[in-house]
């Protein structure tokens, strides 16, 4: 009796079977769609276009598959060459810049990978995802105008010569028409165009022979060629006093990243280290900037970031830094950082430098020589002459020429320590003591006793530079002639 009752009762078996059948059908559809999506994916269409162009140019086609660069020591898995085919192991083809070869570099991008320099999401195979233009990805690709910030990730610790000397050397390089025989930063004739000299774009990384000018003269004389009149004065090939030093300084600054070099030189004229530490040296009034270029985008407040008219909203570190430099108090209410009187070009350069502070977390075996010197040997990443030291530590408060500063928003006035009145009253010993011990009751720090502060010989050079700003006393002849 009980058995027949159970057999006649509906236990929902038929409904359950219908659900299972529907799920099985959906599973089969998904299995069918998955290869179809891959078949018609963006990267497959891109590689098919590459192969079509390659066939017209007699170049072997690439295998239709994801192309990957794996750099275990960097933790990098880059599939960028899946679309940028010519920048991987395949031959570059003409007709589409996506398939062009990578510009010449001291290292092989096909070995190093892409994201370590460019940023982006290396494992992705869709353009938007790979470029990092997606939510919750903190490191999208660097904008083109800031691309050379990536060079600073490895070479940012390079100690550049004094800015004044570098710029004089650049002018001399142009005046003596060195580009007639050499190519430098894309200017001048290359060896393919018949240039007699080599490419000097990265000579600062390779090291410049101290007797380069003497060797240059010897080769010219041995070849029997007629030197250029502008360079070989008096027929003996001698440069004027100081010219060789200036050209050497300029060449020593050439690391294949002229925009980055200009940005770093500018920062060492603005006094940023007066408030911020970078690579262990500087003040503590503001945050340490040594890893500013890797600041997570998700930690930033974009509510006050203005997007350009008719442009899509930008949530990138570059856009945040641009506006932080332009108007710190608006972007970060309560910020102690003043609004500096910078031109748009200067703001762009400072942004580039801050983006370069993006330690790619290389293993020590891959560190550059300059990074070893700064990290391990505690050498400086800036020149040690008095003018550079003033620009690096003092100019932010006291002005780029020592003229003083007044920041109304911060209700603080900094004295004109480069004025004739100040220097006429202060002795060298008083200047030295003020730098070493600071000024109680003011924002002047005791730079001689702080970690990351000024060293003894640097203080001596800084005092000498300040003294050089004092106008020379008029001569008796000038006074007698009524010239004062």
């Amino acid at each position: 009796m009980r058995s027949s009752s159970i057999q006649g009762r509906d236990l929902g078996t038929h409904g359950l079977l219908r659900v299972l059948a529907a799920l099985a059908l959906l599973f089969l559809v998904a299995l069918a769609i998955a290869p179809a999506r891959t078949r018609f994916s963006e990267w497959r269409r891109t590689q098919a276009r590459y192969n079509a162009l390659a066939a017209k140019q007699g170049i072997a086609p690439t295998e239709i598959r994801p192309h990957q660069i794996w750099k275990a020591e960097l933790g990098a898995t880059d599939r960028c060459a899946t679309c940028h085919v010519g920048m991987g192991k395949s031959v570059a083809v003409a007709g589409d810049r996506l398939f062009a070869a990578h510009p010449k570099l001291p290292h092989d991008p096909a070995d190093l990978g892409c994201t370590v320099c460019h940023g982006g999401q290396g494992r992705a195979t869709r353009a938007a995802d790979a470029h990092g233009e997606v939510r919750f990805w903190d490191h999208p690709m660097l904008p083109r105008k800031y691309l050379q910030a990536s060079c600073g990730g490895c070479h940012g610790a390079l100690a550049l010569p004094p800015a004044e000397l570098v710029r004089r050397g650049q002018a001399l390089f142009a005046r003596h028409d060195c580009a007639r025989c050499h190519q430098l930063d894309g200017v001048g004739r290359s060896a393919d165009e018949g240039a007699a000299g080599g490419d000097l774009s990265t000579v600062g990384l390779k090291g410049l022979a101290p007797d380069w000018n003497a060797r240059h003269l010897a080769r010219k004389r041995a070849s029997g060629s007629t030197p250029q009149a502008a360079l070989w004065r008096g027929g003996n090939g001698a440069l004027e006093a100081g010219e060789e030093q200036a050209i050497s300084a300029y060449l020593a600054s050439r690391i294949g990243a002229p925009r980055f070099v200009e940005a770093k030189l500018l920062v060492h004229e603005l006094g940023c280290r007066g408030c911020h530490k970078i690579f262990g040296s500087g003040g503590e009034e503001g945050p340490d900037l040594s890893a500013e270029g890797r600041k997570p985008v998700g930690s930033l407040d974009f509510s006050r970031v203005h997007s350009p008219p008719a442009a899509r909203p930008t949530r990138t570190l570059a856009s945040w830094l641009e506006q932080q430099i332009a108007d710190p108090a608006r972007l970060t209410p309560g910020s102690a950082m003043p609004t500096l009187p910078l031109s748009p070009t200067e703001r762009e350069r400072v942004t580039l430098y801050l983006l370069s502070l993006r330690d790619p977390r290389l293993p020590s075996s891959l560190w550059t020589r300059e990074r070893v010197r700064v990290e391990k040997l505690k050498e400086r990443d800036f020149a040690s002459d008095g003018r550079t030291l003033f620009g690096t530590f003092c100019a932010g408060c006291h002005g780029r020429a020592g003229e003083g500063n007044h920041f109304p928003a911060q209700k603080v006035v900094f004295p004109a320590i480069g004025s004739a009145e100040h220097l006429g009253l202060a002795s060298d010993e008083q200047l030295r003591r003020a730098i070493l011990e600071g000024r109680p009751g003011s924002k002047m720090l005791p730079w001689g006793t702080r970690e990351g502060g000024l060293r003894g010989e640097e203080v001596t050079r800084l005092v000498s530079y300040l003294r050089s700003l004092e106008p020379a006393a008029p001569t008796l002849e000038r006074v007698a002639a009524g010239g004062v």
Side-chain angles (χ1 to χ4, degrees), residues 389-458:
L389 290 168
F390 181 86
T392 300
F393 289 92
C394 313
C397 293
H398 296 289
R400 293 166 76 168
E403 73 276 16
N405 259 327
H406 176 213
F407 300 118
Q410 284 72 27
K411 299 180 181 179
V412 61
V413 177
F414 293 99
I417 61 174
S419 66
E421 294 80 3
H422 180 269
L423 292 170
L425 294 173
S427 67
D428 286 2
E429 181 55 33
Q430 287 173 322
L431 292 174
R432 183 178 180 85
R433 192 164 60 249
I435 295 169
L436 289 171
E437 301 174 5
R439 303 279 293 184
S442 74
K443 286 186 173 292
M444 179 65 183
L445 301 175
W447 286 103
T449 59
R450 303 179 68 83
E451 183 182 357
L454 289 162
R455 300 162 183 171
E457 67 277 9
E458 293 174 337

Side-chain angles (χ1 to χ4, degrees), residues 63 83 142 260 270 321 337 360 395 473:
E63 183 182 352
C83 290
L142 286 167
F260 166 73
L270 297 178
L321 286 172
M337 181 175 173

Side-chain angles (χ1 to χ4, degrees), residues 132-154:
E133 298 169 357
V134 290
R135 196 174 182 187
F136 304 124
W137 186 255
D138 281 329
H139 305 293
M141 286 184 63
L142 286 167
R144 181 177 293 274
K145 64 180 178 179
Y146 295 133
L147 183 55
Q148 290 187 13
S150 64
C151 304
C154 292

